């Protein structure tokens, strides 16, 4: 089984002013003369971690990571103003232009697959290949599955109840809109408790086998605040996408090599998301990660992703 490449530190990092409000954190790792690959993190609002650099051979890749608007090391922290999918696509283009990259590979997970696909459909000539893990298509049914009393809550009713117990009116507020209203409301203490509970609910569902260390690492106070509020902000706005936008525009990326890695038992983003995308992209490769859920760090999924990044090198 493939393991992560060794830990590395950035050889360059900076903030880029993408508009009058937001500054985006960007870092470069690996080989400055290697093949350029952009890592797109999940959430929205998740931010990048040190392990995200380790899916790529640092001797062969110029690895570029960035924190999306309002999260991670980007500023202002937690800001939801001017924070929409179209702006994030524009940010990616600004990063590419600033770094002088003509074409690059794109690697995205979860919400990162949504943003990667929307970006590729907007700028197909700039994308050499796509590696996508845990497909999220950004449709209302995809949101409802995990956050509005859908199928995920029937699989983990005990975890879901712990989330409901934090809401002042319990099940009556079991909707994304109700949670969002609390998290942007005046009661900051309650907003924080709901954000924390939202994040714990989601992250507990990410691995096939319960992994408390993984939950703790992904739900620090700062991470929970941005991830929960950003996710709810995007979800109540249908991820700022038109109806079925991604599947309706797959013809725009039919020439791009696409590798899809998806856990068979993904509870956050069910496997049929990957299946439907694969059916619309006949030249794509769908790799089922057996005995795996949603998380990229699960043994089988990590192995398949590293194999996919090795294969990307042959496309240059």
């Amino acid at each position: 089984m493939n393991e992560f490449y060794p830990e590395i530190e950035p050889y360059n990092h900076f903030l880029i002013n993408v508009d009058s409000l937001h500054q985006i954190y960007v870092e470069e790792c690996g080989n400055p003369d290697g093949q350029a690959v952009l890592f797109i993190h999940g959430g929205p609002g998740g931010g990048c971690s040190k392990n995200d650099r380790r899916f790529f051979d640092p001797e062969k890749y110029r690895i570029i990571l960035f924190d999306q608007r309002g999260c991670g090391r980007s500023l202002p922290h937690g800001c939801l103003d001017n924070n929409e999918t179209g702006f994030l696509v524009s940010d990616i283009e600004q990063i590419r232009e600033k770094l002088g990259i003509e074409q690059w590979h794109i690697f995205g997970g979860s919400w990162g697959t949504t943003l990667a696909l929307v970006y590729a459909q907007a700028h197909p000539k700039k994308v050499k290949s796509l590696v996508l893990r845990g497909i999220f298509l950004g449709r209302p049914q995809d949101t409802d599955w995990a956050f509005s009393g859908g199928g995920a809550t029937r699989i983990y009713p005990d975890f879901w109840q712990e989330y409901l117990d934090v809401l002042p009116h319990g099940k009556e507020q079991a909707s994304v809109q109700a949670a969002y209203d609390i998290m942007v409301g005046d009661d900051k203490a309650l907003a924080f408790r709901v954000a924390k509970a939202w994040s714990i609910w989601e992250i507990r569902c990410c691995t096939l086998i319960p992994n408390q260390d993984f939950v703790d690492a992904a739900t620090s106070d700062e991470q929970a605040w941005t991830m929960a509020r950003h996710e709810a902000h995007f979800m109540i706005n249908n991820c700022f996408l038109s109806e079925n936008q991604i599947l309706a525009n797959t013809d725009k990326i039919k020439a791009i090599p696409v590798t899809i890695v998806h856990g068979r038992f993904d509870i956050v983003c069910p496997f049929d998301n990957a299946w439907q995308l694969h059916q619309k992209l006949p030249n794509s490769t769908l790799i089922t990660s057996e005995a795996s859920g949603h998380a990229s760090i699960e043994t089988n999924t990590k192995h398949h992703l590293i194999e996919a990044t090795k294969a990307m090198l042959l496309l240059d």
Side-chain angles (χ1 to χ4, degrees), residues 230-242:
H230 279 63
E231 287 183 345
H233 167 71
F234 275 76
M235 289 174 179
I236 64 169
N237 289 289
N238 294 323
C239 294
F240 301 96
L241 301 174
S242 60

Side-chain angles (χ1 to χ4, degrees), residues 28-95:
E28 297 182 88
C29 309
N31 181 354
D33 298 318
Q35 292 193 41
V37 59
L38 178 72
F39 181 95
I40 303 182
H41 68 70
C48 290
S49 73
K50 292 183 177 181
N51 277 341
D52 295 335
R53 309 163 182 161
R54 301 176 65 194
F55 288 102
F56 314 95
D57 185 337
E59 295 184 359
K60 298 178 180 178
Y61 276 112
R62 179 184 180 186
I63 308 159
I64 299 137
L65 302 94
F66 75 107
D67 293 332
Q68 294 161 34
R69 295 188 179 206
C71 68
R73 291 146 292 187
S74 292
L75 300 173
H77 185 76
C79 181
L80 300 177
D81 296 332
N82 293 353
N83 205 331
E84 302 178 9
T85 305
F87 293 134
L88 302 185
V89 169
S90 175
D91 295 347
I92 293 172
E93 264 299 272
Q94 287 196 54
I95 293 168

Side-chain angles (χ1 to χ4, degrees), residues 19-271:
D19 65 12
S20 60
L21 178 60
H22 288 276
Q23 292 180 297
I24 301 301
Y25 173 85
V26 182
E27 66 180 36
E28 297 182 88
C29 309
N31 181 354
D33 298 318
Q35 292 193 41
V37 59
L38 178 72
F39 181 95
I40 303 182
H41 68 70
C48 290
S49 73
K50 292 183 177 181
N51 277 341
D52 295 335
R53 309 163 182 161
R54 301 176 65 194
F55 288 102
F56 314 95
D57 185 337
E59 295 184 359
K60 298 178 180 178
Y61 276 112
R62 179 184 180 186
I63 308 159
I64 299 137
L65 302 94
F66 75 107
D67 293 332
Q68 294 161 34
R69 295 188 179 206
C71 68
R73 291 146 292 187
S74 292
L75 300 173
H77 185 76
C79 181
L80 300 177
D81 296 332
N82 293 353
N83 205 331
E84 302 178 9
T85 305
F87 293 134
L88 302 185
V89 169
S90 175
D91 295 347
I92 293 172
E93 264 299 272
Q94 287 196 54
I95 293 168
R96 185 190 63 78
E97 291 172 355
K98 181 175 179 61
L99 295 178
I101 296 169
E102 181 59 31
Q103 276 193 315
W104 49 6
H105 303 284
I106 304 291
F107 180 113
S110 194
W111 159 255
T113 70
T114 318
L115 187 52
L117 286 161
V118 175
Y119 171 78
Q121 289 172 351
H123 302 281
K125 293 183 179 179
K126 305 303 180 184
V127 179
K128 286 185 179 180
S129 73
L130 291 163
V131 172
L132 307 172
R133 185 272 310 164
I135 302 298
F136 178 67
L137 297 174
R139 303 165 299 179
Q141 62 261 45
D142 304 317
T143 293
D144 293 344
W145 168 266
F147 289 102
S148 294
T153 68
R154 298 180 64 185
I155 297 169
Y156 290 119
D158 47 346
F159 296 166
W160 181 243
Q161 186 61 52
E162 291 184 34
Y163 168 68
L164 294 179
D165 289 345
V166 176
L167 301 173
H169 301 290
K171 192 173 182 179
E172 294 178 23
Q173 291 178 306
S175 70
V176 175
Q177 184 67 59
Y180 177 77
D181 290 343
I182 293 172
M183 289 190 286
V184 298
D186 294 332
D187 188 336
K188 298 304 180 185
L190 177 60
F192 174 78
R193 290 197 299 273
V194 170
K196 187 81 168 183
W198 170 298
S199 299
I200 291 172
W201 151 250
E202 178 181 355
I203 300 301
R204 291 176 88 180
C205 295
C206 278
T207 55
L208 179 62
I209 304 300
N211 186 331
Q212 190 59 45
D213 289 340
F214 176 72
V215 174
D216 292 342
T219 58
S220 69
D221 292 352
E222 187 175 88
Q223 289 171 301
W225 180 248
T226 57
M227 186 167 73
R229 294 172 77 252
H230 279 63
E231 287 183 345
H233 167 71
F234 275 76
M235 289 174 179
I236 64 169
N237 289 289
N238 294 323
C239 294
F240 301 96
L241 301 174
S242 60
E243 184 177 357
N244 207 29
Q245 179 174 328
I246 291 173
L247 294 182
N249 288 278
T250 49
D251 60 301
K252 296 178 180 178
I253 58 172
K254 61 184 179 181
I256 299 174
V258 180
T259 301
I260 303 166
V261 177
H262 204 107
R264 171 71 76 184
F265 302 104
D266 190 333
I267 303 304
V268 178
C269 298
F271 185 77

